[in-house]
Amino acid sequence: MGNPFKDLRERLGLKVKDMGLIAGVTLGCIYKTEAGEPAEPWRYALGLEKAGLVVAIDILEDYAIWRKNVQKSKRDEARRLLEGVA
């Protein structure tokens, strides 16, 4: 499972700028959300819901699961690296 916001944009075949216009959010908001930063995914989700593209809570729940999986993967990777150093 990839980032649900990025997956949606790519499925629609839209550029970041176009998605920003549709959702009524800044490009920075989209870039941060697609990079996995927790800053403003809710703003993006509400804009997409207003445009009739998603149910905000659904995409936010998917995003939270995706972020949790990425964090776990990064932690596991860091542990493996540390084990190799010790």
Side-chain angles (χ1 to χ4, degrees), residues 5-67:
F5 287 96
K6 185 174 183 180
D7 291 348
L8 174 66
R9 182 178 60 75
E10 289 176 347
R11 243 187 352 263
L12 294 172
L14 297 172
K15 295 180 180 180
V16 172
K17 181 179 178 181
D18 297 327
M19 193 61 113
L21 292 171
I22 290 168
V25 297
T26 65
L27 300 181
C29 177
I30 293 174
Y31 284 124
K32 287 177 183 178
T33 300
E34 289 190 2
E37 294 182 23
E40 301 181 46
W42 60 271
R43 186 181 312 254
Y44 191 10
L46 290 176
L48 292 172
E49 183 174 78
K50 194 174 188 181
L53 296 174
V54 300
V55 174
I57 192 67
D58 292 344
I59 198 166
L60 287 169
E61 287 173 352
D62 290 346
Y63 183 70
I65 291 167
W66 172 77
R67 283 198 74 230

Side-chain angles (χ1 to χ4, degrees), residues 64-83:
I65 291 167
W66 172 77
R67 283 198 74 230
K68 185 176 179 179
N69 290 337
V70 168
Q71 288 170 331
K72 182 183 180 320
S73 174
K74 293 294 180 183
R75 277 193 309 267
D76 292 347
E77 181 180 338
R79 282 189 189 112
R80 282 192 303 276
L81 289 172
L82 285 173
E83 288 170 1

